[in-house]
């Protein structure tokens, strides 16, 4: 059986059929809030249940509780604020108790019931979430740029923003159905923003040894210069799965989500998202969701001990490398040899080779995967 949704019930706030048409007509008469990419993606994830039990943007009681205790006000583990910011100027258009339309890229995509409009302390916010006030941290930088007020309340989704990944964009309801159809009782979730190298493959396969199925869930969202494009990551995974995984052991599906780079807190959030997709287990690697040197390499693993009631089993992994003496892929828990015997799998080196049109060493990346990437135009974000 796939795991129970976080909080016990899968949230569905997607309007359909005649109700959707009716509500859309109404929405056209309402004041509106413009959403940015992150806000739209959060709206989408609330509405399809990825963020269950959230049914809207957080009110102050929940935000305070999440910042202070890493739990919602009902005591359920929850580590990241899911909030909607507005300016005083926007506030002139509506008040508490009103309904507003949510607009993204020129289209009405949702509705918000304005339950509470409130102010917040950005310093406390960033210190709690990112454990630093350093404006050079990308997550801190973003929060410091938020507008001065927050608006909380329940949402409804009217329309999905259509992108090129629609065939690989399953909702938690759909993944749960798929896991059941396949008869999987245990499923391990893997979060990624990268084209797969051998280190990733060994982490996944080691986990897969103990469970029925593997759920590879790439994050589609804002990337930085030099990252693999979303389409490249997806195609690379398709090639890897086709050539190196037994049939029907993997489900590959994307999630649209904006990384916060909040390290430990975000690792727990990633686990909760995958629990909602139906995963019973979740993989946490070295410096999961980290950036720069803000977090210790295994801080994102240690935090899980604070949540015995999370409802998903954490699987911690050390970094894999190729060891000449072992004659294969190993990690520091399985290999006694010296650093000189080890070839570390370097994402930077792999990207460098690919940029020069060269196949990376086969100890680092499967040649089929590398060839798939090389066959694509401009695989990197410029
Ligand atoms: Zn060794």
């Amino acid at each position: 059986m796939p795991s129970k949704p976080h909080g016990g019930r899968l949230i569905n706030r997607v309007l359909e059929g005649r109700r959707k048409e009716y509500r859309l007509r109404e929405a056209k008469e309402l004041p509106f809030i413009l959403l940015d990419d992150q806000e739209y993606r959060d709206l989408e994830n609330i509405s399809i249940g990825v963020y269950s039990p959230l049914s809207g943007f957080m009110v102050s009681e929940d935000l305070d509780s999440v910042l202070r205790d890493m739990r919602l006000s009902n005591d359920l583990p929850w580590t990241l604020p899911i909030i909607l910011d507005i300016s005083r100027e926007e506030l002139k258009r509506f008040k508490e108790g009103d309904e507003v339309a949510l607009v993204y890229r020129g289209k009405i995509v949702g509705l918000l019931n304005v339950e509470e409009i409130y102010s917040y302390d950005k310093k406390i916010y960033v210190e709690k979430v990112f454990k630093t006030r350093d404006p050079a941290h990308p997550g801190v930088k973003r929060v410091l740029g938020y507008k001065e007020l927050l608006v909380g309340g329940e949402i409804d989704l009217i329309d999905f923003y259509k992108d090129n990944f629609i065939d690989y964009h399953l909702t938690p309801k759909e993944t749960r159905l798929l896991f059941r159809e396949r008869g999987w009782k245990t499923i391990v979730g893997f979060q990624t923003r990268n084209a797969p190298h051998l280190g990733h493959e060994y982490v996944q396969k080691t986990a897969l040894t103990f469970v029925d199925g593997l759920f590879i869930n790439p994050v589609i969202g804002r990337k930085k210069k030099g990252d693999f494009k979303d389409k490249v990551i997806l195609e690379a995974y398709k090639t890897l799965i086709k050539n190196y995984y037994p049939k029907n052991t993997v489900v590959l599906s994307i999630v649209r989500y904006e990384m916060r780079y909040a390290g430990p807190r975000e690792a727990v959030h990633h686990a909760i998202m995958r629990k909602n997709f139906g995963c019973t287990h979740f993989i946490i690697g070295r410096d999961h969701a980290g950036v720069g040197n803000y977090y210790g390499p295994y801080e994102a693993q240690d935090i899980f001990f604070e949540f015995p009631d999370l409802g998903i089993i954490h699987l911690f992994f050390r970094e894999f490398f190729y060891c000449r003496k072992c004659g294969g892929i190993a990690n520091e828990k399985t290999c006694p040899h010296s650093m000189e015997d080890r070839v570390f799998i370097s994402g930077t080196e792999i990207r460098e080779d690919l940029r020069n049109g060269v196949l990376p060493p086969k100890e680092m990346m499967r040649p089929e995967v590398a060839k798939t990437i090389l066959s694509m135009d401009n695989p990197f974000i410029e």
Side-chain angles (χ1 to χ4, degrees):
M1 283 297 266
S3 81
K4 282 212 168 64
H6 201 49
R9 190 172 63 89
L10 201 62
I11 297 296
N12 178 8
R13 308 283 306 184
V14 183
L15 295 173
E16 279 169 303
R18 276 161 57 186
R19 206 166 142 248
K20 167 180 154 172
E21 297 310 320
Y22 185 81
R23 301 284 279 145
L24 179 60
R25 268 200 307 277
E26 280 186 331
K28 287 176 180 161
E29 309 298 323
L30 295 174
F32 62 87
I33 297 176
L34 295 176
L35 301 184
D36 64 18
D37 291 342
Q38 175 174 308
E39 289 158 353
Y40 170 74
R41 286 171 181 141
D42 284 345
L43 169 76
E44 184 174 279
N45 286 330
I46 296 166
S47 69
I48 60 176
V50 178
Y51 290 172
S52 300
L54 298 194
S55 54
F57 290 101
M58 285 179 179
V59 293
S60 60
E61 190 188 18
D62 279 320
L63 176 63
D64 291 346
S65 174
V66 164
L67 293 178
R68 190 181 56 237
D69 303 326
M70 299 197 282
R71 288 174 182 270
L72 296 171
S73 54
N74 66 6
D75 207 35
L76 199 67
W78 195 279
T79 48
L80 287 188
I82 304 297
I83 46 114
L84 179 57
D85 62 325
I86 55 164
S87 64
R88 295 202 183 275
E89 193 55 37
E90 285 172 292
L91 185 58
K92 287 180 186 159
R93 301 200 289 257
F94 55 86
K95 58 184 187 311
E96 285 179 4
D98 285 353
E99 196 167 44
V100 296
L102 301 173
V103 174
Y104 179 60
R105 299 197 182 188
K107 272 185 76 178
I108 294 175
V109 289
L111 290 161
L112 168 73
N113 247 306
V114 181
E115 189 182 328
E116 188 188 11
I117 296 162
Y118 59 104
S119 57
Y120 62 116
D121 186 328
K122 285 186 186 177
K123 284 200 181 98
I124 294 175
Y125 186 121
V126 298
E127 251 165 33
K128 292 287 186 186
V129 173
F130 304 105
K131 302 177 98 172
T132 174
R133 284 190 194 181
D134 185 357
H137 182 295
V140 174
K141 187 179 164 200
R142 173 118 40 109
V143 172
L144 295 179
Y146 285 172
K147 296 164 197 162
E148 60 267 51
L149 296 169
L150 299 177
V151 52
E154 294 206 318
I155 59 91
D156 289 294
L157 186 95
I158 291 179
D159 240 330
F160 285 98
Y161 173 73
K162 310 269 185 317
D163 64 12
N164 299 323
F165 306 106
I166 203 77
D167 294 342
Y168 283 90
H169 190 191
L170 301 178
T171 65
K173 195 175 154 196
E174 290 167 330
T175 53
R176 286 168 173 276
L177 195 65
L178 196 54
F179 297 160
R180 276 207 187 86
E181 279 169 4
R182 292 196 175 179
W184 293 353
K185 290 188 178 63
T186 49
I187 304 105
V188 63
F190 185 79
Q191 138 93 30
T192 183
R193 294 176 278 148
N194 246 312
H197 59 47
L198 254 72
H200 303 127
E201 185 182 330
Y202 270 79
V203 165
Q204 293 166 9
K205 286 184 169 173
T206 308
L208 189 51
T209 311
F210 298 98
V211 297
D212 300 329
L214 169 65
F215 178 53
I216 300 174
N217 194 207
V219 163
I220 302 287
R222 183 195 311 210
K223 298 235 161 33
K224 49 185 196 302
K225 193 168 171 261
D227 284 350
F228 289 105
K229 286 182 182 163
D230 292 328
K231 186 174 188 309
V232 173
I233 296 169
L234 206 56
E235 291 304 318
Y237 261 108
K238 279 154 75 176
T239 300
L240 180 71
I241 293 165
K242 194 175 112 204
N243 289 286
Y244 291 96
Y245 285 78
K247 246 191 162 54
N248 292 326
T249 54
V250 184
V251 168
L252 173 66
S253 170
I254 61 131
V255 60
R256 296 201 283 207
Y257 170 78
E258 207 77 36
M259 286 292 300
R260 269 67 167 185
Y261 302 102
R265 273 195 185 236
E266 187 159 18
V268 175
H269 184 70
H270 286 172
I272 292 170
M273 288 163 70
R274 279 41 183 245
K275 178 185 173 189
N276 283 327
F277 278 110
C279 296
T280 52
H281 295 66
F282 184 65
I283 291 167
I284 304 103
R286 190 179 181 283
D287 198 23
H288 189 110
V291 63
N293 293 317
Y294 291 99
Y295 312 105
Y298 297 103
E299 226 181 304
Q301 299 184 346
D302 296 339
I303 191 175
F304 280 80
F305 296 113
E306 295 180 45
F307 300 99
D309 53 342
L310 196 59
I312 183 167
I313 299 165
H314 52 254
L315 297 177
F316 298 155
F317 279 91
R318 299 269 151 169
E319 209 170 352
F320 281 88
F321 46 76
Y322 181 83
C323 173
R324 293 190 192 91
K325 284 227 174 89
C326 288
I329 301 281
N331 64 36
E332 57 187 56
K333 290 185 81 175
T334 66
C335 158
H337 304 115
S338 70
M339 293 299 262
E340 290 81 69
D341 300 312
R342 297 173 178 177
V343 182
F344 282 86
I345 302 168
S346 153
T348 314
E349 202 177 318
I350 291 171
R351 283 194 293 273
E352 185 77 24
D353 283 343
L354 292 170
R355 212 166 316 188
N356 294 327
V358 183
L359 289 183
K362 64 179 188 334
E363 293 82 11
M364 292 195 189
M365 183 174 257
R366 298 287 191 188
E368 294 89 344
V369 173
K371 280 176 195 159
T372 297
I373 296 171
L374 287 173
S375 73
M376 301 179 77
D377 294 334
N378 309 324
F380 299 101
I381 306 275
E382 284 153 18

